[in-house]
Amino acid sequence: MPFRPPFRLAIFDFDGTLADTFPWFCSVLNEVAERYAFRQVAADEVERLRGLDARALLRELAIPRWKLPFIARHMRRRAARESGAFRMVEGMGETLQRLADGGVMLAVVSSNGEETVRHVLGPRHGALVRHYCCGVSLFGKAERFRRLLRREGVAPAEAVSIADEIRDLDAARRVGLAFGAVSWGYMRADALAAAGPDMMFAAPAEIAPRLLGGG
């Protein structure tokens, strides 16, 4: 009987998880704040703000929910223009390859645009991803997870979300997915750990062994 990994489907976030886009985000944030009239961020505030979940961050920056679609569209378009500044997190390419070789279906669910995601992953690693669900609203991942599971006939217990924010953890729990938090993304590792993820990864090399049942 062929080996089946513990998880049939691994759903990855892009920004901060697969790709190191946080430095770029910080570099454009205050310009975007001026354009859309929300509070700018001082350099010495960044680490504190990285400890907040998305809703608390919106309150802290005085961003009303009705502005989010406009800000998100602007950021996607700008990211597409400046995607040459982005790189995959070191070791993530090898992780995707190892998971695919181990029989795990791969998906990316992201608020960023598909063009940007594919550009950063490149042809080789991008071809390993079966599903791209991009342009997702800030709090819209749970529904995308549900659609993906239905489309592939995968039970929630057979899927895992890998990401770097509490909003991703919340979305995974609403659908019944396991959640693996990465320590190198937008949110501080201590804040993520305090939220109680099912798995916590300190380096990309830790992901495949855990998802394939070897660690």
Side-chain angles (χ1 to χ4, degrees):
M1 185 173 180
F3 169 77
R4 274 186 65 181
F7 295 103
R8 292 176 57 199
L9 172 64
I11 307 171
F12 284 87
D13 174 51
F14 176 72
D15 290 283
T17 301
L18 290 175
D20 182 19
T21 61
F22 188 66
W24 172 86
F25 176 81
C26 290
S27 74
V28 304
L29 179 59
N30 283 341
E31 184 180 330
V32 176
E34 184 175 1
R35 180 185 180 111
Y36 289 97
F38 61 87
R39 186 173 78 75
Q40 296 191 6
V41 175
D44 61 2
E45 292 184 281
V46 172
E47 280 305 298
R48 179 180 67 83
L49 295 177
R50 288 184 64 226
L52 302 179
D53 66 26
R55 289 180 174 81
L57 186 59
L58 293 178
R59 291 193 297 271
E60 182 80 18
L61 300 185
I63 302 176
R65 291 284 289 267
W66 66 266
K67 286 187 180 182
L68 290 178
F70 303 100
I71 296 170
R73 183 170 64 239
H74 173 80
M75 293 294 281
R76 280 195 297 271
R77 289 174 176 172
R78 183 157 184 174
R81 293 195 304 269
E82 302 177 14
S83 60
F86 306 153
R87 297 289 181 272
M88 286 187 73
V89 172
E90 186 174 357
M92 285 305 303
E94 292 83 351
T95 292
L96 296 180
Q97 186 68 63
R98 187 170 177 188
L99 289 171
D101 290 346
V104 178
M105 186 189 315
L106 303 178
V108 174
V109 175
S110 172
S111 57
N112 216 320
E114 183 172 337
E115 177 185 355
T116 300
V117 175
R118 286 182 178 272
H119 175 79
V120 176
L121 295 185
R124 177 188 166 197
H125 297 120
L128 300 174
V129 178
R130 180 159 174 169
H131 295 289
Y132 289 87
C133 304
C134 297
V136 181
S137 65
L138 190 66
F139 299 108
K141 286 193 173 183
E143 181 54 35
R144 293 300 185 99
F145 291 164
R146 291 190 185 96
R147 292 181 195 175
L148 186 55
L149 294 174
R150 286 196 298 267
R151 179 174 177 175
E152 290 299 329
V154 174
E158 298 175 307
V160 58
S161 168
I162 308 293
D164 66 327
E165 295 187 60
I166 288 175
R167 66 186 174 94
D168 298 291
L169 183 153
D170 290 341
R173 284 180 172 165
R174 285 172 59 190
V175 181
L177 308 184
F179 181 76
V182 304
S183 65
W184 54 84
Y186 279 52
M187 198 164 193
R188 288 203 324 257
D190 63 311
L192 276 168
D198 300 289
M199 294 165 272
M200 191 87 193
F201 302 113
E206 298 177 2
I207 296 174
R210 188 72 182 273
L211 268 56
L212 292 171

